[in-house]
Amino acid sequence: MSKTAKDQRRSRRELLQQFEKTYDLAQFDYKKKIYPVQGKSKLIGITVACAIYGAGFAIAYFSWMSGRAEYELFLKTTWVLLLPASAAGIFAWMLAFNRLDNAVRMPIQKQIVEIEGQQGMLWRYAPILAAAEPNNANAKTACNRSREQQVKNIDEEDYCGAVQAIHGALKAAGDTSLTAETIQEAATNLAL
């Protein structure tokens, strides 16, 4: 029993070393990379909304102070300006997030194309992913697209999630979900 347990640990360690040679985990930490982008895009949206509202408020205020507009018109204008300023802010936030998100995704996409090559790589670790996280549909989709050699159709966020899940499963020493058969199947896939 102890010999098979040692063999299983050794196989798992070798699989983990092979995985870490293939994947640079810092480059595939999507959540860590996207976090600053989310804050920056929200800040851009708020800035645009405040600028539009501030410009409208300043025009209405100076019109009221110079006597060209009544106080009631000034109040109505300040309230009515909230809606278009908010809409413009939301639009600016979404546009900024899409552009900044694209800047994060493109280097990851290039690495995915390099790693996947002609035969695919992620699908070879699919048995580990299926044993460790059987309900992770996004990661399974990334593995299936890797198997089907549809590299351009793999979502970068799903791919990064699958890489992190597989690494976590291989790294967890006390995890009993990875059986000897699962590790052997992944090793056989890597040998192909």
Side-chain angles (χ1 to χ4, degrees), residues 10-91:
R10 187 170 8 99
S11 306
R12 183 184 221 162
R13 194 173 341 130
E14 289 172 358
L15 208 57
L16 178 63
Q17 289 171 353
Q18 174 68 30
F19 187 80
E20 288 177 343
K21 278 188 216 174
T22 306
Y23 293 99
D24 181 12
L25 294 173
Q27 297 299 322
F28 288 99
D29 195 356
Y30 186 80
K31 290 181 182 179
K32 188 175 182 181
K33 287 185 167 198
I34 203 70
Y35 185 74
V37 169
Q38 291 172 336
K40 189 174 183 180
S41 63
K42 288 176 187 175
L43 187 60
I44 290 171
I46 289 171
T47 303
V48 167
C50 288
I52 291 173
Y53 183 77
F57 183 84
I59 292 170
Y61 180 75
F62 288 120
S63 297
W64 172 56
M65 291 305 283
S66 65
R68 294 185 183 170
E70 296 291 323
Y71 181 70
E72 290 177 10
L73 181 61
F74 166 68
L75 288 178
K76 288 179 184 177
T77 303
T78 58
W79 278 103
V80 169
L81 278 174
L82 286 174
L83 186 62
S86 298
I90 290 171
F91 178 75

Side-chain angles (χ1 to χ4, degrees), residues 62-169:
F62 288 120
S63 297
W64 172 56
M65 291 305 283
S66 65
R68 294 185 183 170
E70 296 291 323
Y71 181 70
E72 290 177 10
L73 181 61
F74 166 68
L75 288 178
K76 288 179 184 177
T77 303
T78 58
W79 278 103
V80 169
L81 278 174
L82 286 174
L83 186 62
S86 298
I90 290 171
F91 178 75
W93 163 57
M94 292 170 60
L95 184 65
F97 181 73
N98 284 338
R99 290 187 181 240
L100 293 171
D101 181 50
N102 194 33
V104 170
R105 286 179 180 260
M106 292 312 293
I108 295 173
Q109 178 65 30
K110 287 179 183 176
Q111 285 186 332
I112 291 172
V113 170
E114 284 178 21
I115 290 171
E116 289 296 312
Q118 296 296 323
Q119 301 296 320
M121 179 57 72
L122 188 67
W123 70 269
R124 299 171 192 268
Y125 295 98
I128 295 170
L129 183 66
E133 293 189 17
N135 297 329
N136 193 343
N138 293 336
K140 286 181 182 178
T141 302
C143 285
N144 289 337
R145 293 212 172 125
S146 171
R147 180 177 286 122
E148 296 164 358
Q149 299 167 358
Q150 297 178 353
V151 178
K152 295 291 183 181
N153 295 336
I154 297 175
D155 184 51
E156 292 82 10
E157 186 175 2
D158 295 346
Y159 194 90
C160 290
V163 167
Q164 294 295 330
I166 292 167
H167 182 261

